Every structure is written in structure tokens, then in C-alpha cells.
Amino acid sequence: MAKINDNYLKLPGSYLFSTVAKKSSEFAAANPDKEIIKMSIGDVTIPLAPAVIEAMHKAVDEMGTPEGFHGYGPEQGYDFLRSKIVEKDYRARGIDLEPDEIFVSDGAKSDCGNIGDIFSVDNTVAVCDPVYPVYVDTNAMAGRAGDFIDDKWSKLIYMPCLEENGFLPELPKEKADIIYLCFPNNPIGVAMTKEQLRPWIEYAKENGSVILYDSAYEAFITDPEVPHSIYEIDGAKEVAIEFRSFSKTAGFTGTRCAYTVVPHELKLGGTELNALWNRRQCTKFNGVPYIIQKAAEAVYSDEGHKQTREAIEYYLENARIIRESLTEAGFTAYGGVNAPYIWAKTPNGMKSWDFFDKLLEEANVVTTPGSGFGPSGEGYVRFTAFSTRENTLKAMEKIKNLNL
Ligand code: MLT
């Protein structure tokens, strides 16, 4: 008889954002007269930039001609995009990478989840707590997380990110083989400076660990001390894989395009991880559509860059409004300076899900409960800055008028 992967049976309930979406749709169905404002999943609201749309249209037209038609593309991405990424995202910052160290994909979420394929199930994994749930759930699916007992996975190393440590993780006391870091951080919205990141590279070198560095929010960095790439730190190419995305940078959440950097210098037992990831992608992935990669390339044109920057500035201004309005309303709020997320403490020690319900029912604002990101997220909710300005202002007004 065929057997299922029973690691799936150990997973608690449904995926966090599906639970939040279900609760919010149920409330909307029961209250059709209420206007609900979503500040939950980090999904963008500004349309794609005109330069991106123009490139996409052009690529669509090309696809209708014999000479411009593209069938299966390279699994790793077209060279025009990989070269542009190297030039604009890395060499411009003094980081020397080659196009064959870049793997274009349909999302940082997929890559963060799939990267586990190239690692043994015996590795010990360390995650921040709270954390983007994809890192945890995909390791649980692979059998690397153990059992889910009292809100924690028995085999994972949790690195608490708490108010008292500035919400930054401390180096694990145990030996961690794989370490997930996401900075600027989701869900807390804080960032790490180069100096704060450096000891992680040293730890990884000493322990033979690999850092999986999720840099999906680098476009929101405003502080010059905060690195846009982990490779800004010397030696990082020997120990880190970096994930980047066009989703939040250029509004590609529905269009799907991202990339992962696996440097040739990163080796385990003499084997290049670049070769393993290439093998994995060639076998299981058929590349991002030509039309989408052409659209992504346009993000790097002068016009594309200018237009996408305007969108980022708009979201950063939303973040400022949220943080300051929450503070004025008496909440303690963090993040939102180098990231599109604001991490707010619930009032009067309320549980995250209770405050989520209160915000939904009384202010009609959907957030994400902090406890959904891990046990140390209890007592917080996360707001995203990706709403429209109008809805952001409306939501803040309603929250200021809440009866707490
Ligand atoms: C989030 O809200 O945490 C992100 O949008 C989720 C994602 O990028 O998959």
C-alpha cells in the first residue's frame, strides 16, 4: 500500500496566512455592510510600474512572432536577467558574483521552501522566533523538525527575538547546521547592521553551518549601516545562500519572479551547493516565463528603477504613519523603518489571537497575530504597510477610536 509522508500529519492546522484569510472572509460574509481593511499578508496594492508593463507588452508581442517566440527557457533564468541582477544588485555594491551564481525562480517563498532538498534530513536547523512560517513548516514536512509539542518543534533550535534583546537573535549555544536569517526582518520589521551580522558569518565558518539569508525586504532599507546583501560581509560567500524577490521590491506578488544566489565558494565536504541547486532546479523546475523575466529586467532600467522606488517610498511612508499612529494611540510599536512591517504589542497583555479578533470585529482591520509566527510572537500583532494610503489612514483612525 502506498504510504503518505506522515510528517504532514504533524503540522498544526493550516498555513498561518490561510487561517487569517479564512477568518477575515467569514467575518466579511457575516457583516456585508462593513468595510474591511487588510493589513495582514504582505501583498502589494500599487500596480506594476509603467516601464515594467511596457516591457511585458513588448515580450507578449515577441512571443507571437516566429523569431521572437520562446519555448522552454533555461531553468536557471535567461542570461539577460541574471547578468542585470549581478551588475545592478551586486557589483554596484562592490560584491563580485557571476551570472551562473544566480538562479531566477517563481518566488522566494518557493526557494526558501525548496532549498531543503539539497540538505540532509539529519541537519539541525535554527530559526528565529517569531519567524516566517515557511522555514519551519517546510523543515517539518521534510522530517527535520521532529514533533510539534507545546507549540514548539522538538528538533528545531529556536532563537528568541524579544523586546529585551532588541528583537535580534543571539548566536545559538548549540551547534546549528542550517540557520535561517531574514533581515530586514519579517515579521518584526527590525534590521541588522553589518557589525551585528558579522558574528553570524564567523559562527557559520567555525561550525561548518550554512546561513539561509532571506533578503526579500532589502529595498526597504533606509539606514546606511544595514547591509542589502549578506555578501557585503567578508567571507559570507563561503557560508551563505541569499534569497531575493521582485514581489515587494517591484510589485510582482501576482506576477512571480525572484532569485536565489548560491556562490561557487559555498562548499560542504568539497561539494559545491551551486551544483546541487542547479541539479535540483533542472530536474524539478522549468524556469520563469520569458514575458515575466523581461518584465523583471525592466525594473533595472532608469525609468523602471525610478518608478519602483516611488512605490517603495510610498509604502515606507505608510509604515511611518502606522508606527506613529499606533504610538500616539498608546501602543508600543516596533519596526517599519527599514521594513514594511510593524510589530505592535497587544494592549493589557491580551493574547495575539484575541487582539486580532478585537481589531477585526471592532475596527474591521485585519492584522496577523504574532503567535502565528512562533511562541515568542505571543502578545503582538503584525501590521503591513502595503495597503493604500487611504486605507492605512482609515485603519489608524479606527484603531485610535478603539475602546481598549
Ligand atoms: C508575509 O505577509 O509574511 C509575506 O507576504 C508572505 C510571503 O511573502 O509569502
Side-chain angles (χ1 to χ4, degrees):
M1 195 177 98
K3 296 186 184 68
I4 58 161
N5 174 354
D6 56 13
N7 291 316
Y8 278 68
L9 303 181
K10 300 179 187 173
L11 291 165
S14 61
Y15 181 58
L16 172 63
F17 294 108
S18 318
T19 313
V20 169
K22 185 164 174 275
K23 277 195 161 233
S24 122
S25 335
E26 281 168 3
F27 181 80
N31 298 276
D33 55 315
K34 299 251 162 57
E35 187 199 358
I36 293 161
I37 300 176
K38 290 195 177 141
M39 302 182 100
S40 43
I41 193 162
D43 197 2
V44 294
T45 49
I46 298 178
L48 289 169
V52 168
I53 290 296
E54 196 186 317
M56 209 187 270
H57 275 298
K58 199 161 158 260
V60 169
D61 289 341
E62 273 183 65
M63 288 292 277
T65 65
E67 52 295 342
F69 173 72
H70 287 74
Y72 290 129
E75 294 89 348
Q76 307 82 354
Y78 284 101
D79 204 42
F80 62 79
L81 182 56
R82 299 170 92 192
S83 305
K84 202 59 97 185
I85 290 168
V86 163
E87 178 197 332
K88 300 279 190 176
D89 287 345
Y90 292 98
R91 290 197 186 143
R93 292 192 183 277
I95 299 162
D96 197 22
L97 284 172
E98 293 300 325
D100 70 350
E101 295 174 297
I102 310 291
F103 294 84
V104 177
S105 77
D106 67 343
K109 176 181 180 178
S110 330
D111 285 356
C112 287
N114 293 330
I115 197 77
D117 279 14
I118 65 168
F119 293 103
S120 156
V121 79
D122 300 331
N123 284 298
T124 304
V125 175
V127 290
C128 291
D129 171 26
V131 72
Y132 180 42
V134 171
Y135 315 149
V136 171
D137 288 7
T138 55
N139 276 291
M141 289 168 178
R144 226 176 265 118
D147 294 306
F148 193 63
I149 305 162
D150 295 337
D151 281 346
K152 281 195 173 182
W153 289 93
S154 57
K155 287 194 183 163
L156 293 186
I157 299 173
Y158 287 83
M159 303 182 289
C161 299
L162 308 166
E163 208 172 13
E164 50 266 36
N165 57 16
F167 295 106
L168 295 181
E170 282 164 22
L171 291 167
K173 301 210 176 16
E174 314 86 328
K175 192 174 158 330
D177 302 313
I178 297 174
I179 302 167
Y180 287 82
L181 294 178
C182 172
F183 288 97
N185 183 257
N186 179 15
I188 302 178
V190 292
M192 254 198 205
T193 62
K194 283 183 202 153
E195 284 321 303
Q196 287 165 328
L197 194 50
R198 205 179 304 281
W200 293 84
I201 313 296
E202 283 156 18
Y203 174 97
K205 280 191 173 175
E206 274 161 27
N207 291 284
S209 325
V210 174
I211 298 175
L212 301 178
Y213 194 73
D214 186 347
S215 187
Y217 301 98
E218 63 79 32
F220 295 85
I221 293 171
T222 57
D223 179 344
E225 295 305 312
V226 172
H228 288 251
S229 163
I230 193 165
Y231 306 122
E232 287 181 46
I233 320 292
D234 284 344
K237 281 201 260 173
E238 290 158 50
V239 294
I241 291 176
E242 179 162 288
F243 304 93
R244 291 265 191 115
S245 170
F246 292 93
S247 286
K248 319 290 155 93
T249 311
F252 275 56
T253 51
T255 315
R256 312 306 308 149
C257 197
Y259 65 88
T260 288
V261 185
V262 192
H264 287 298
E265 285 169 53
L266 175 54
K267 294 179 188 149
L268 287 179
T271 302
E272 277 196 21
L273 298 196
N274 180 293
L276 296 191
W277 185 242
N278 188 45
R279 185 71 172 84
R280 191 265 172 214
Q281 290 299 80
C282 290
T283 306
K284 294 195 180 181
F285 184 60
N286 250 344
V288 174
Y290 174 73
I291 296 164
I292 303 299
Q293 293 194 54
K294 274 291 176 189
E297 184 193 24
V299 171
Y300 296 103
S301 68
D302 290 346
E303 273 307 290
H305 178 72
K306 188 170 154 281
Q307 292 160 0
T308 48
R309 271 319 305 171
E310 278 165 14
I312 303 277
E313 299 302 332
Y314 176 95
Y315 294 134
L316 279 170
E317 176 61 8
N318 280 352
R320 185 193 65 75
I321 292 170
I322 298 169
R323 203 182 57 250
E324 289 182 4
S325 308
L326 290 174
T327 309
E328 270 168 41
F331 291 91
T332 308
Y334 300 93
V337 176
N338 291 297
Y341 297 121
I342 294 90
W343 191 240
K345 216 175 200 176
T346 62
N348 313 317
M350 269 174 106
K351 295 267 187 205
S352 299
W353 276 107
D354 292 341
F355 191 50
F356 166 91
D357 287 336
K358 187 175 173 74
L359 286 173
L360 178 60
E361 285 157 23
E362 295 174 25
N364 310 140
V365 175
V366 192
T367 53
T368 310
S371 56
F373 295 102
S376 298
E378 184 57 274
Y380 291 87
V381 292
R382 189 194 74 172
F383 289 80
T384 77
F386 290 116
S387 272
T388 60
R389 179 67 42 77
E390 188 194 356
N391 279 347
T392 301
L393 290 168
K394 248 190 236 171
M396 291 303 115
E397 211 41 51
K398 286 180 166 191
I399 290 174
K400 277 184 194 165
N401 293 330
L402 267 183
N403 213 346
L404 295 172

